[in-house]
Amino acid sequence: QQRYQPIADARFRDAACFVAVAYPGVSEEAPAGSQDITPAAFEAHLKILRERGYTPIELKDVLAFYDAGKPLPRKAILTTFAQTRKTSYFEVRQLLHVYRWKAVMGVCTSPIHARDAQALLWPYLRNMLHLGPWELAGESQNGYHFVPAFSDDSAGPFFSTPKWLAEANR
């Protein structure tokens, strides 16, 4: 595959904010009711963002912004994908090249360790970094597992639900 060629960052760097867009998943077979979108919908997003002058940024830009107060390009946007999903990678990799767009794949390690067929394994992750538009970010080991959330023993996702502590009755 051809090496990624980013668009030169010639925009003014005087912005003090950015937009972060998180995609749970991209799949041609996005199930009804899921948060996944189709590749066609993702391409429409990229097209609109490019037409309206948004500039994709990298994690190093976010770090420099928060750590050193370094300004960002105007209309800066950080595009992320969750949970190391294989479909998201395969469905969007060519679109990132065509639109010369950068993206971050959140790496959730528990499916990798379990060798889940739906997860990107280490060889794919290394290839993503080699091809250019991708960055990787640590997401979690067990962050998407369900934890006890209420006194009735119902559960919720670890990231969004405080764990029920029966011994403290809270």
Side-chain angles (χ1 to χ4, degrees):
Q1 185 166 359
Q2 187 177 13
R3 181 111 172 112
Y4 170 74
Q5 296 295 320
I7 292 177
D9 185 5
R11 299 194 186 280
F12 293 105
R13 284 187 165 263
D14 59 0
C17 63
F18 66 97
V19 174
V21 180
Y23 290 95
V26 178
S27 174
E28 192 62 60
E29 300 171 7
S34 79
Q35 294 180 341
D36 290 2
I37 64 169
T38 64
F42 180 71
E43 182 174 17
H45 294 180
L46 291 181
K47 185 176 184 204
I48 290 168
L49 292 166
R50 270 284 174 230
E51 288 171 354
R52 297 199 177 153
Y54 282 85
T55 301
I57 59 173
E58 299 176 75
L59 293 173
K60 68 180 181 184
D61 297 311
V62 174
L63 184 63
F65 173 70
Y66 283 118
D67 280 357
K70 184 176 177 183
L72 295 163
R74 294 176 187 174
K75 293 189 171 185
I77 184 167
L78 180 70
T79 305
T80 68
F81 294 87
Q83 299 185 35
T84 327
R85 292 187 44 197
K86 193 182 286 185
T87 56
S88 295
Y89 169 60
F90 283 112
E91 299 288 6
V92 306
R93 65 183 174 172
Q94 189 59 35
L95 293 171
L96 295 178
H97 279 273
V98 169
Y99 287 89
R100 298 167 75 179
W101 203 264
K102 299 171 185 171
V104 178
M105 177 62 77
V107 177
C108 186
T109 56
S110 58
I112 294 171
H113 292 300
R115 297 207 176 281
D116 182 338
Q118 303 304 314
L120 289 164
L121 300 179
W122 299 118
Y124 288 112
L125 296 171
R126 282 190 294 273
N127 191 46
M128 288 171 74
L129 292 176
H130 176 72
L131 292 176
W134 290 98
E135 289 184 287
L136 303 177
E139 195 168 19
S140 75
Q141 170 70 17
N142 297 312
Y144 292 94
H145 293 191
F146 279 68
V147 296
F150 303 98
S151 60
D152 67 359
D153 291 328
S154 60
F158 172 82
F159 277 143
S160 62
T161 309
K163 183 178 179 181
W164 177 258
L165 302 173
E167 63 280 357
N169 200 31
R170 61 177 172 86

